[in-house]
Amino acid sequence: AEYMGDTCFLSRSMEDETSSSSSSSFAADPSNETTFATSIDNLEESDSSNEDWNPHAVPENDVSEDSASDAHSDGPHRLHGLIPFDDEDDDQERLSMLNRFVRFCKTKDDFAKLLVDLNCPNFQAWACLNCTHVNVSKLDPAAPAPICIECKEPVPAHFLQLLAEQSIHGQWLPPATRTTGVGYSDIMLRHEDPATTDLQKHVERPDRLRSIYQRLKQAGLIKRCTPIDAQHVSREALLLVHDETHIDDVLGTEDGHCHLSPTSDTYIGRDTSLAASISAGTLIQVTDKVVDGKVQNAVALIRPPGHHAEAGEAMGFCFFNNVAVAARYANQTLNQGRILILDWDVHHGNGTQNMFYDDPNILYISLHRHDHGSFYPGTGKVEEVGGPSAAGLTVNIPWNSEGMGDAEYLSAFYHLVMPVCQAFDPHLVFISAGFDAARGDPLGGCDITPAGYAHMTAMMSSLAKGRCIIALEGGYNLHAISDSMEACVRVLLGESPPALPCLVPSASGMHSIGQSIHHLAPYWASLQRLVSGLSASLALAAPAPAAVELAEDEPMEELKVYHLRRRTEHRSEDESLDTDVQDEVKVRRKGPRIFLGWKRKLWRRLHRARSRRHTSRMSSPARLHSNSL
């Protein structure tokens, strides 16, 4: 790789590839052992008595100082052609240059060599545990923990507490009268990208599951839930939706290792087969408990995710389609007639849709970014409504721009999702809960808050007599997924969702919802009444000036178009306003009782219309303006 900076030229030769890893210091200064960059390594402890895999074991330093020195002088990652800084150069210039070059460093050793070559001994590089972005900061033991320049947040405190513990398992309390189950196993943490280095981490990493579990434990929610043991998935259950060849490739029936080849979006680790089997099997176990009435609802903390996995193909970090396996199992084995799958992951669940596209017993609803087909995986068009035997049972709400948040998602729920779900009347509800549409996610680009997820969960819990199962899918910001999952679990436990402010959906979001209603109305009577008013709804969703902020003591009744009504309702026909003005008044009256920027413009038009017909009876402009305010 080559990079041309303002004053430096960097060329990095990669003739030889080595697999050795080093836990050497980030910087040449040995005092950095007390800094944030190395605090994670110091918090971890290894269990020498356990010969099996230990997710908390620290790799031994298999590179001595002498060998590191040799690698520094002749190693394959040697950096050439750098102009070192002078001692009197400003630290900000050094920091700027290091931020440019850190992208070429895969390990701590590479960065240590870069510090020597640039004469920058007092800097450190660290990969953000929250979003995996690589940062460079000044080495100062007395300074507080540095802030990630990408997500603007320090590492989650509850995650640091987790790493300080030798085991993430707490003591389960007796079930007592708890009605919410939790399915989890730390075996799923073994699925990890083998190419992970000190400074390059995959977004779908074990830290996701660790952080969620520790947050629920720290918040006291684990104690309030009923534990559900993990188990391996049976071959019979997988055959309900997957091809036999694909099952053999993932499970590696002969040697127990996955036989799939890594792709650009799916890595294969040493224990991928084990984690994939436990992930699907745990959700099956959770489904059994909910259907049997052992718990009212449940959450499955599982990975790898599943909604991208096709019948014969692994893709998008997914190997087995966990929710699809559990839904078909509930329908055919547990005799659950109608199954609802709601997928709010920011990516469309192409695998789930294809598996149930012509199944009259499964309703699949997906809210996802589409961007006119340019957002991964490019499927989930609004025209895809189901096969001949299941027309209308595939509901896609594709967003065609970024930034969709609580307003757009809840509008979709109120106007489309809930009317369809209530008409379908499911016996069991699955939520493919990917939290990559949450605010701050590095991949999603959306803006849902934990409160928004809580409200959606509450609406889903009102269906199927409360038999609702949440299965983890995506989500790659540790803060966001922990906050969001906590909010959802609290709702499952019976807590009310937090209050939301007044929300106004965007024009693009309302257009996507309207298009979905238009394509699904022929199949749902509950949507047909909305088609007649669709044009007016889309017109009201057009971009408008910002709403006027009102005082808290100003009653909403005073915000009605009071003077407009007084001056028009008692007139005779010959005194009526222009037709276009009357039509606009009628449309505005149907909208929200909020004074927007169109108020003054409408009053000016009314004033001009009355001036032309009733000059003698018209109030002065100053009086009219004061009355309108």
Side-chain angles (χ1 to χ4, degrees), residues 89-396:
D89 287 334
D90 184 55
D91 284 341
Q92 283 301 116
E93 296 181 7
R94 299 172 188 259
L95 187 61
S96 176
M97 192 62 65
L98 289 174
N99 274 310
R100 295 179 181 179
F101 289 153
V102 71
R103 71 190 70 179
F104 301 107
C105 301
K106 291 185 64 176
T107 64
K108 301 175 186 177
D109 257 356
D110 291 339
F111 187 73
K113 300 166 192 174
L114 180 64
L115 294 179
V116 173
D117 290 338
L118 284 178
N119 189 24
C120 301
N122 297 321
F123 289 85
Q124 60 180 348
W126 49 280
C128 177
L129 293 176
N130 187 52
C131 67
T132 73
H133 184 79
V134 180
N135 298 264
V136 178
S137 58
K138 187 73 186 307
L139 188 61
D140 186 1
I147 303 298
C148 175
I149 63 176
E150 178 68 18
C151 64
K152 306 296 188 295
E153 294 182 355
V155 65
H158 66 274
F159 185 63
L160 285 178
Q161 179 182 346
L162 165 67
L163 294 178
E165 300 177 0
Q166 184 167 351
S167 173
I168 61 178
H169 279 301
Q171 295 294 325
W172 291 107
L173 295 184
T177 59
R178 294 169 294 181
T179 60
T180 298
V182 173
Y184 172 78
S185 172
D186 60 355
I187 295 177
M188 290 175 283
L189 302 176
R190 301 187 185 186
H191 173 58
E192 188 171 10
D193 185 8
T196 296
T197 65
D198 302 323
L199 301 181
Q200 293 184 356
K201 300 181 181 297
H202 199 282
V203 291
E204 206 295 286
R205 58 202 191 279
D207 297 342
R208 299 172 57 242
L209 208 54
R210 290 193 185 107
S211 183
I212 291 175
Y213 183 86
Q214 183 65 13
R215 168 61 68 82
L216 298 181
K217 181 180 176 182
Q218 187 182 55
L221 302 182
I222 292 295
K223 297 179 180 179
R224 297 168 58 186
C225 297
T226 300
I228 299 177
D229 296 333
Q231 68 174 13
H232 287 280
V233 65
S234 66
R235 188 177 185 85
E236 291 74 17
L238 293 176
L239 285 172
L240 294 174
V241 297
H242 285 291
D243 298 339
E244 189 170 2
T245 303
H246 177 69
I247 297 173
D248 293 338
D249 289 340
V250 175
L251 295 182
T253 54
E254 296 181 358
D255 53 6
H257 294 289
C258 184
H259 294 166
L260 297 176
S261 299
T263 63
S264 59
D265 60 5
T266 305
Y267 64 82
I268 308 296
R270 182 186 64 180
D271 293 315
T272 294
S273 299
L274 180 62
S277 176
I278 293 294
S279 180
T282 300
L283 187 54
I284 290 286
Q285 188 78 346
V286 167
T287 304
D288 280 329
K289 297 297 183 183
V290 173
V291 172
D292 291 344
K294 301 294 180 60
V295 293
Q296 177 67 28
N297 48 52
V299 56
L301 304 179
I302 55 178
R303 66 176 291 272
H307 70 149
H308 289 309
E310 298 279 3
E313 181 183 3
M315 60 181 294
F317 314 153
C318 306
F319 298 91
F320 293 138
N321 198 315
N322 306 316
V323 171
V325 172
R328 184 65 59 80
Y329 172 81
N331 177 244
Q332 295 189 1
T333 305
L334 303 180
N335 299 319
Q336 299 300 298
R338 294 181 299 276
I339 308 295
L340 165 63
I341 301 176
L342 175 74
D343 190 340
W344 67 42
D345 191 283
V346 76
H347 303 96
H348 179 246
N350 55 290
T352 309
Q353 174 176 298
N354 293 336
M355 290 173 179
F356 302 120
Y357 198 68
D358 202 30
D359 191 329
N361 299 314
I362 309 293
L363 170 61
Y364 176 69
I365 302 178
S366 176
L367 302 93
H368 55 274
R369 271 189 68 180
H370 189 250
D371 292 5
H372 303 287
S374 62
F375 197 79
Y376 184 89
T379 56
K381 296 180 180 179
V382 68
E383 296 84 3
E384 300 170 4
V385 296
S389 300
L393 293 182
T394 296
V395 178
N396 284 308

Side-chain angles (χ1 to χ4, degrees), residues 540-551:
L540 286 175
V548 179
E549 291 190 12
L550 307 173

Side-chain angles (χ1 to χ4, degrees), residues 564 579-591:
L564 177 63
T579 303
D580 58 339
V581 177
Q582 293 184 19
D583 292 341
E584 184 168 357
V585 170
K586 292 179 181 179
V587 172
R588 296 299 184 183
R589 281 181 180 176
K590 294 180 181 179

Side-chain angles (χ1 to χ4, degrees), residues 322-551:
N322 306 316
V323 171
V325 172
R328 184 65 59 80
Y329 172 81
N331 177 244
Q332 295 189 1
T333 305
L334 303 180
N335 299 319
Q336 299 300 298
R338 294 181 299 276
I339 308 295
L340 165 63
I341 301 176
L342 175 74
D343 190 340
W344 67 42
D345 191 283
V346 76
H347 303 96
H348 179 246
N350 55 290
T352 309
Q353 174 176 298
N354 293 336
M355 290 173 179
F356 302 120
Y357 198 68
D358 202 30
D359 191 329
N361 299 314
I362 309 293
L363 170 61
Y364 176 69
I365 302 178
S366 176
L367 302 93
H368 55 274
R369 271 189 68 180
H370 189 250
D371 292 5
H372 303 287
S374 62
F375 197 79
Y376 184 89
T379 56
K381 296 180 180 179
V382 68
E383 296 84 3
E384 300 170 4
V385 296
S389 300
L393 293 182
T394 296
V395 178
N396 284 308
I397 307 175
W399 310 122
N400 289 315
S401 61
E402 61 180 7
M404 299 299 169
D406 296 344
E408 290 76 20
Y409 275 78
L410 293 179
S411 294
F413 265 71
Y414 294 144
H415 297 296
L416 176 54
V417 175
M418 291 308 295
V420 169
C421 291
Q422 290 167 351
F424 183 69
D425 190 19
H427 297 125
L428 185 63
V429 176
F430 287 94
I431 300 178
S432 285
F435 296 110
D436 41 8
R439 178 179 297 173
D441 189 88
L443 301 184
C446 288
D447 197 38
I448 306 181
T449 65
Y453 282 116
H455 279 267
M456 291 190 287
T457 303
M459 284 186 273
M460 287 293 100
S461 298
S462 67
L463 303 169
K465 298 180 180 179
R467 298 198 301 176
C468 179
I469 300 173
I470 296 178
L472 180 65
E473 294 284 358
Y476 310 103
N477 182 308
L478 299 192
H479 282 285
I481 60 177
S482 302
D483 294 342
S484 302
M485 183 60 84
E486 179 187 355
C488 293
V489 173
R490 288 186 180 277
V491 171
L492 293 183
L493 286 167
E495 298 184 18
S496 300
L500 285 171
C502 181
L503 302 172
V504 179
S506 64
S508 176
M510 289 302 297
H511 180 76
S512 296
I513 297 171
Q515 289 296 316
S516 297
I517 293 175
H518 173 74
H519 284 83
L520 291 164
Y523 311 103
W524 298 98
S526 58
L527 299 180
Q528 291 174 3
R529 67 178 182 270
L530 299 177
V531 175
S532 59
L534 182 59
S535 300
S537 299
L538 294 177
L540 286 175
V548 179
E549 291 190 12
L550 307 173

